[in-house]
Amino acid sequence: MHLSLHEFAAAVLRLSLWLVVLTAVFVPLERWFGAQHAPRPRREFFHNIVYYVISSLVPIVVLSLPTALLAVAARHLVPDALTSALQALPLWAWLALVFVVGETGFYWGHRLSHELPWLWRFHALHHSTEHMNFLANTRTHPVDMVVTRLFGLIPLYLLGLAGPSVTGSGAPALLLIVGMVWGFFIHSNLRWRLGPLEWLVVTPAFHHWHHSRHDHINRNYASTLPFLDRLFGSHYLPRHWPAEYGTDTPQASTLSGQLLDPLLPAKK
């Protein structure tokens, strides 16, 4: 995908404004309602900003070709009867179906990133943060991001929920935007418990256990719908909070090392 200078400048401006908004919202909230930590190194802050830019631009550039190919495949593979039936659904029913199907795909993409060693090589970077904060949401290797998102997008196209039709054309973007916005919240350093709402949507308490260092790192894979973890046996949400975050998988201290090391042959 080719971006003109004007389009690139506009994208950078949007990212900058969005970062200002996120900072204005989450920094005071995390200071008032979060766990207290020692100041983090400036290098980590710099890395988080770079990952924020990468995670915002990579989907636009890298996913454009796969989604275009998926749209072409869907045009030939999805029966016309299914397309017509989906287009006849009320908007609320269509949106709900898009959300559940896409989130189920994301769930399995995320879970396999833990269970398959070659995918964990890339996903481990996301678990390297030892103090949860809203920018931890963007601390993701580009390969990990693309693989996980394709798991969510492919079912939408193959089931006729996304494609060249007017109704379906915005489904991938809608799902990714909702997931991104909610991701900042569930990664934030907010010690809030939301009562019965925790049965309906993923909250910081739910997702913090996924980032715990040892026992429960392979739990709570869902990004927005916790019933998926209950359905597939990976749900865990006690009343207390994790004592320690991070991963024992070694990570390079430099940004270039974090991005390149997973691409190199595994060290024996």
Side-chain angles (χ1 to χ4, degrees):
M1 179 178 179
H2 175 71
L3 290 177
S4 68
L5 182 61
H6 175 74
E7 291 171 329
F8 179 78
V12 171
L13 178 59
R14 285 194 299 270
L15 288 179
S16 301
L17 294 176
W18 184 231
L19 182 59
V20 170
V21 172
L22 289 170
T23 302
V25 171
F26 282 107
V27 168
L29 289 177
E30 289 184 332
R31 181 168 298 179
W32 296 333
F33 300 105
Q36 300 300 312
H37 302 296
R40 292 185 292 276
R42 289 187 177 181
R43 173 184 290 183
E44 181 178 337
F45 174 77
F46 169 74
H47 287 180
N48 284 342
I49 297 299
V50 173
Y51 283 120
Y52 167 78
V53 175
I54 291 175
S55 66
S56 301
L57 293 180
V58 162
I60 299 174
V61 177
V62 178
L63 289 177
S64 59
L65 178 58
T67 52
L69 294 176
L70 283 170
V72 173
R75 188 180 299 120
H76 293 87
L77 296 176
V78 179
D80 292 337
L82 177 58
T83 302
S84 299
L86 291 172
Q87 290 180 341
L89 290 174
L91 180 59
W92 67 266
W94 177 81
L95 288 173
L97 194 56
V98 165
F99 203 58
V100 171
V101 169
E103 284 300 302
T104 302
F106 289 146
Y107 171 94
W108 281 106
H110 189 183
R111 182 164 180 166
L112 290 175
S113 294
H114 282 247
E115 296 180 352
L116 299 179
W118 67 275
L119 286 179
W120 173 253
R121 288 164 59 90
F122 299 98
H123 187 62
L125 172 64
H126 183 62
H127 284 265
S128 63
T129 184
E130 297 182 353
H131 301 303
M132 296 297 287
N133 63 88
F134 73 99
L135 280 179
N137 178 46
T138 62
R139 191 177 182 84
T140 305
H141 195 283
V143 173
D144 175 39
M145 183 190 313
V146 169
V147 169
T148 303
R149 293 191 176 190
L150 282 176
F151 265 88
L153 296 178
I154 288 174
L156 292 179
Y157 283 94
L158 296 185
L159 293 176
L161 289 165
S165 67
V166 174
T167 303
S169 60
L174 175 66
L175 191 64
L176 293 178
I177 290 172
V178 170
M180 179 188 68
V181 172
W182 199 251
F184 287 109
F185 173 60
I186 65 176
H187 285 87
S188 62
N189 178 23
L190 294 177
R191 294 299 179 100
W192 289 347
R193 298 305 301 259
L194 302 181
L197 190 61
E198 294 179 343
W199 282 84
L200 299 176
V201 295
V202 168
T203 62
F206 178 94
H207 196 67
H208 278 215
W209 279 106
H210 179 71
H211 279 267
S212 60
R213 180 175 287 273
H214 295 120
D215 296 339
H216 304 291
I217 197 171
N218 294 324
R219 304 274 198 141
N220 298 2
Y221 296 107
S223 57
T224 54
L225 301 176
F227 88 86
L228 292 171
D229 283 282
R230 290 194 289 271
L231 179 63
F232 297 119
S234 52
H235 186 274
Y236 184 78
L237 186 55
R239 296 305 305 172
H240 60 289
W241 293 77
E244 190 177 12
Y245 300 95
T247 176
D248 291 332
T249 302
Q251 297 292 310
S253 59
T254 63
L255 189 67
S256 59
Q258 293 167 7
L259 293 172
L260 295 176
D261 284 357
L263 298 170
L264 301 177
K267 297 179 181 179
K268 297 183 179 179

